[in-house]
CSV table of all heavy atoms in Angstrom, one decimal:
chain,number,residue,atom,x,y,z
A,1558,LEU,N,-13.9,3.5,16.5
A,1558,LEU,CA,-15.0,2.9,17.3
A,1558,LEU,C,-15.3,3.8,18.5
A,1558,LEU,O,-14.4,4.5,19.0
A,1558,LEU,CB,-14.5,1.5,17.7
A,1558,LEU,CG,-13.2,1.4,18.5
A,1558,LEU,CD1,-13.5,1.3,20.0
A,1558,LEU,CD2,-12.4,0.2,18.0
A,1564,ASP,N,-14.4,5.3,28.8
A,1564,ASP,CA,-13.5,6.4,28.7
A,1564,ASP,C,-12.2,5.9,28.1
A,1564,ASP,O,-12.2,4.8,27.5
A,1564,ASP,CB,-13.1,7.0,30.1
A,1564,ASP,CG,-12.5,6.0,31.1
A,1564,ASP,OD1,-12.1,4.9,30.6
A,1564,ASP,OD2,-12.4,6.3,32.3
A,1565,PHE,N,-11.1,6.7,28.1
A,1565,PHE,CA,-9.9,6.4,27.3
A,1565,PHE,C,-9.2,5.1,27.9
A,1565,PHE,O,-8.5,4.4,27.2
A,1565,PHE,CB,-9.0,7.6,27.2
A,1565,PHE,CG,-8.2,7.9,28.4
A,1565,PHE,CD1,-6.8,8.2,28.2
A,1565,PHE,CD2,-8.7,8.0,29.7
A,1565,PHE,CE1,-6.1,8.6,29.3
A,1565,PHE,CE2,-8.0,8.4,30.7
A,1565,PHE,CZ,-6.6,8.6,30.6
A,1568,MET,N,-10.6,2.2,26.2
A,1568,MET,CA,-10.0,2.2,24.8
A,1568,MET,C,-8.7,1.5,24.8
A,1568,MET,O,-8.3,0.8,23.9
A,1568,MET,CB,-10.0,3.6,24.2
A,1568,MET,CG,-11.4,4.2,24.0
A,1568,MET,SD,-12.5,3.2,22.9
A,1568,MET,CE,-13.6,2.6,24.1
A,1569,MET,N,-7.9,1.8,25.9
A,1569,MET,CA,-6.6,1.2,26.0
A,1569,MET,C,-6.7,-0.3,26.1
A,1569,MET,O,-6.0,-1.1,25.5
A,1569,MET,CB,-5.8,1.7,27.3
A,1569,MET,CG,-5.3,3.1,27.2
A,1569,MET,SD,-4.3,3.5,28.6
A,1569,MET,CE,-4.3,5.3,28.5
A,1572,ALA,N,-7.7,-1.7,22.7
A,1572,ALA,CA,-6.6,-1.7,21.7
A,1572,ALA,C,-5.6,-2.8,22.0
A,1572,ALA,O,-5.2,-3.6,21.1
A,1572,ALA,CB,-5.9,-0.4,21.8
A,1666,PHE,N,1.2,3.2,25.6
A,1666,PHE,CA,0.2,4.2,25.5
A,1666,PHE,C,0.7,5.5,26.2
A,1666,PHE,O,1.0,5.5,27.4
A,1666,PHE,CB,-1.1,3.7,26.3
A,1666,PHE,CG,-1.8,2.5,25.7
A,1666,PHE,CD1,-1.8,1.3,26.4
A,1666,PHE,CD2,-2.4,2.6,24.5
A,1666,PHE,CE1,-2.4,0.2,25.9
A,1666,PHE,CE2,-3.1,1.5,23.9
A,1666,PHE,CZ,-3.1,0.3,24.6
A,1667,VAL,N,0.9,6.5,25.3
A,1667,VAL,CA,1.4,7.8,25.8
A,1667,VAL,C,0.1,8.6,26.0
A,1667,VAL,O,-0.6,8.9,25.0
A,1667,VAL,CB,2.4,8.4,24.9
A,1667,VAL,CG1,2.8,9.8,25.4
A,1667,VAL,CG2,3.6,7.6,24.7
A,1668,TYR,N,-0.2,9.1,27.2
A,1668,TYR,CA,-1.5,9.7,27.5
A,1668,TYR,C,-1.2,11.1,28.1
A,1668,TYR,O,-0.1,11.5,28.4
A,1668,TYR,CB,-2.4,8.9,28.4
A,1668,TYR,CG,-1.9,8.7,29.8
A,1668,TYR,CD1,-2.2,9.6,30.8
A,1668,TYR,CD2,-1.1,7.6,30.1
A,1668,TYR,CE1,-1.8,9.4,32.1
A,1668,TYR,CE2,-0.6,7.4,31.4
A,1668,TYR,CZ,-1.0,8.3,32.4
A,1668,TYR,OH,-0.5,8.1,33.7
A,1670,HIS,N,-2.4,14.3,26.6
A,1670,HIS,CA,-2.0,15.4,25.7
A,1670,HIS,C,-2.6,16.7,26.1
A,1670,HIS,O,-3.7,16.8,26.6
A,1670,HIS,CB,-2.6,15.0,24.3
A,1670,HIS,CG,-1.9,13.8,23.7
A,1670,HIS,ND1,-2.0,12.5,24.3
A,1670,HIS,CD2,-1.2,13.6,22.5
A,1670,HIS,CE1,-1.3,11.6,23.6
A,1670,HIS,NE2,-0.9,12.3,22.5
A,1678,ALA,N,-11.2,16.1,22.8
A,1678,ALA,CA,-11.0,15.3,23.9
A,1678,ALA,C,-11.4,16.0,25.2
A,1678,ALA,O,-11.2,17.2,25.4
A,1678,ALA,CB,-9.5,14.9,24.0
A,1688,THR,N,-5.6,16.5,28.6
A,1688,THR,CA,-6.9,15.8,28.3
A,1688,THR,C,-6.7,14.3,28.6
A,1688,THR,O,-5.6,13.8,28.7
A,1688,THR,CB,-7.2,15.9,26.8
A,1688,THR,OG1,-6.1,15.4,26.0
A,1688,THR,CG2,-7.4,17.4,26.4
A,1689,ASP,N,-7.8,13.6,28.7
A,1689,ASP,CA,-7.8,12.2,28.8
A,1689,ASP,C,-7.7,11.6,27.4
A,1689,ASP,O,-8.7,11.1,26.8
A,1689,ASP,CB,-9.0,11.7,29.5
A,1689,ASP,CG,-9.0,12.0,31.0
A,1689,ASP,OD1,-7.9,12.3,31.5
A,1689,ASP,OD2,-10.0,12.0,31.7
A,1690,ARG,N,-6.5,11.6,26.9
A,1690,ARG,CA,-6.3,11.2,25.5
A,1690,ARG,C,-5.0,10.3,25.5
A,1690,ARG,O,-4.1,10.6,26.3
A,1690,ARG,CB,-6.1,12.4,24.6
A,1690,ARG,CG,-5.6,12.0,23.1
A,1690,ARG,CD,-5.3,13.3,22.3
A,1690,ARG,NE,-4.7,13.0,21.1
A,1690,ARG,CZ,-4.2,13.9,20.2
A,1690,ARG,NH1,-4.2,15.2,20.5
A,1690,ARG,NH2,-3.7,13.5,19.1
A,1691,PHE,N,-4.9,9.4,24.6
A,1691,PHE,CA,-3.6,8.7,24.4
A,1691,PHE,C,-3.4,8.4,22.9
A,1691,PHE,O,-4.3,8.4,22.1
A,1691,PHE,CB,-3.7,7.3,25.2
A,1691,PHE,CG,-4.5,6.2,24.5
A,1691,PHE,CD1,-4.0,5.5,23.4
A,1691,PHE,CD2,-5.7,5.9,25.1
A,1691,PHE,CE1,-4.8,4.5,22.9
A,1691,PHE,CE2,-6.5,4.9,24.5
A,1691,PHE,CZ,-6.0,4.2,23.4
A,1692,GLU,N,-2.1,8.2,22.7
A,1692,GLU,CA,-1.6,7.6,21.4
A,1692,GLU,C,-0.8,6.4,21.7
A,1692,GLU,O,-0.1,6.3,22.6
A,1692,GLU,CB,-0.8,8.7,20.6
A,1692,GLU,CG,-1.6,9.9,20.1
A,1692,GLU,CD,-0.7,10.9,19.4
A,1692,GLU,OE1,0.3,11.4,20.1
A,1692,GLU,OE2,-0.9,11.2,18.3
A,1693,LEU,N,-1.1,5.3,20.8
A,1693,LEU,CA,-0.3,4.1,21.0
A,1693,LEU,C,0.9,4.1,20.1
A,1693,LEU,O,0.7,4.3,18.8
A,1693,LEU,CB,-1.2,2.9,20.7
A,1693,LEU,CG,-0.5,1.6,20.6
A,1693,LEU,CD1,0.2,1.2,21.9
A,1693,LEU,CD2,-1.4,0.5,20.1
A,1699,GLU,N,3.2,5.7,15.5
A,1699,GLU,CA,1.8,5.8,16.1
A,1699,GLU,C,0.9,4.8,15.4
A,1699,GLU,O,0.8,4.7,14.2
A,1699,GLU,CB,1.3,7.2,15.9
A,1699,GLU,CG,-0.1,7.4,16.5
A,1699,GLU,CD,-0.8,8.6,16.0
A,1699,GLU,OE1,-0.1,9.6,15.5
A,1699,GLU,OE2,-2.1,8.7,16.0
A,1701,ALA,N,-2.5,4.1,17.1
A,1701,ALA,CA,-3.8,4.4,17.5
A,1701,ALA,C,-3.9,5.8,18.2
A,1701,ALA,O,-2.9,6.2,18.8
A,1701,ALA,CB,-4.4,3.3,18.5
A,1702,ASN,N,-5.0,6.4,18.1
A,1702,ASN,CA,-5.3,7.7,18.8
A,1702,ASN,C,-6.7,7.6,19.4
A,1702,ASN,O,-7.6,7.2,18.8
A,1702,ASN,CB,-5.2,8.8,17.8
A,1702,ASN,CG,-5.4,10.2,18.4
A,1702,ASN,OD1,-5.1,10.4,19.6
A,1702,ASN,ND2,-5.9,11.1,17.7
A,1703,ALA,N,-6.8,7.9,20.7
A,1703,ALA,CA,-8.0,7.7,21.4
A,1703,ALA,C,-8.2,8.7,22.5
A,1703,ALA,O,-7.2,9.3,23.0
A,1703,ALA,CB,-8.1,6.3,22.0
A,1704,PHE,N,-9.4,8.9,22.9
A,1704,PHE,CA,-9.7,9.8,24.1
A,1704,PHE,C,-11.0,9.6,24.7
A,1704,PHE,O,-11.9,9.0,24.1
A,1704,PHE,CB,-9.5,11.3,23.8
A,1704,PHE,CG,-9.7,11.7,22.4
A,1704,PHE,CD1,-11.0,12.1,22.0
A,1704,PHE,CD2,-8.7,11.8,21.5
A,1704,PHE,CE1,-11.3,12.6,20.7
A,1704,PHE,CE2,-8.9,12.3,20.2
A,1704,PHE,CZ,-10.2,12.6,19.8
A,1705,THR,N,-11.2,10.1,25.9
A,1705,THR,CA,-12.5,10.3,26.5
A,1705,THR,C,-13.1,11.5,25.7
A,1705,THR,O,-12.5,12.6,25.7
A,1705,THR,CB,-12.4,10.6,28.0
A,1705,THR,OG1,-11.7,9.5,28.6
A,1705,THR,CG2,-13.8,10.7,28.6
A,1706,GLU,N,-14.2,11.3,25.1
A,1706,GLU,CA,-14.8,12.3,24.2
A,1706,GLU,C,-15.3,13.5,25.0
A,1706,GLU,O,-16.0,13.4,26.0
A,1706,GLU,CB,-15.9,11.7,23.4
A,1706,GLU,CG,-15.5,10.5,22.5
A,1706,GLU,CD,-14.4,10.8,21.5
A,1706,GLU,OE1,-14.3,11.9,21.1
A,1706,GLU,OE2,-13.7,9.8,21.2
A,1751,GLY,N,-16.0,6.8,25.2
A,1751,GLY,CA,-14.6,6.6,24.8
A,1751,GLY,C,-14.6,6.3,23.3
A,1751,GLY,O,-15.4,5.6,22.8
A,1752,GLY,N,-13.6,6.9,22.6
A,1752,GLY,CA,-13.5,6.7,21.2
A,1752,GLY,C,-12.0,6.4,20.8
A,1752,GLY,O,-11.1,6.9,21.5
A,1753,MET,N,-11.8,5.8,19.7
A,1753,MET,CA,-10.5,5.4,19.2
A,1753,MET,C,-10.4,5.2,17.7
A,1753,MET,O,-11.4,4.7,17.1
A,1753,MET,CB,-10.0,4.1,19.9
A,1753,MET,CG,-8.7,3.6,19.5
A,1753,MET,SD,-8.0,2.3,20.6
A,1753,MET,CE,-9.4,1.1,20.5
A,1754,GLY,N,-9.3,5.6,17.1
A,1754,GLY,CA,-9.0,5.3,15.7
A,1754,GLY,C,-7.7,4.5,15.6
A,1754,GLY,O,-6.7,4.8,16.3
Side-chain angles (χ1 to χ4, degrees):
L1558 57 101
D1564 65 11
F1565 78 134
M1568 296 301 107
M1569 289 187 197
F1666 295 113
V1667 179
Y1668 66 92
H1670 294 60
T1688 60
D1689 287 341
R1690 172 187 173 188
F1691 74 77
E1692 291 176 301
L1693 170 61
E1699 178 197 340
N1702 183 26
F1704 29 87
T1705 305
E1706 303 298 333
M1753 175 167 59

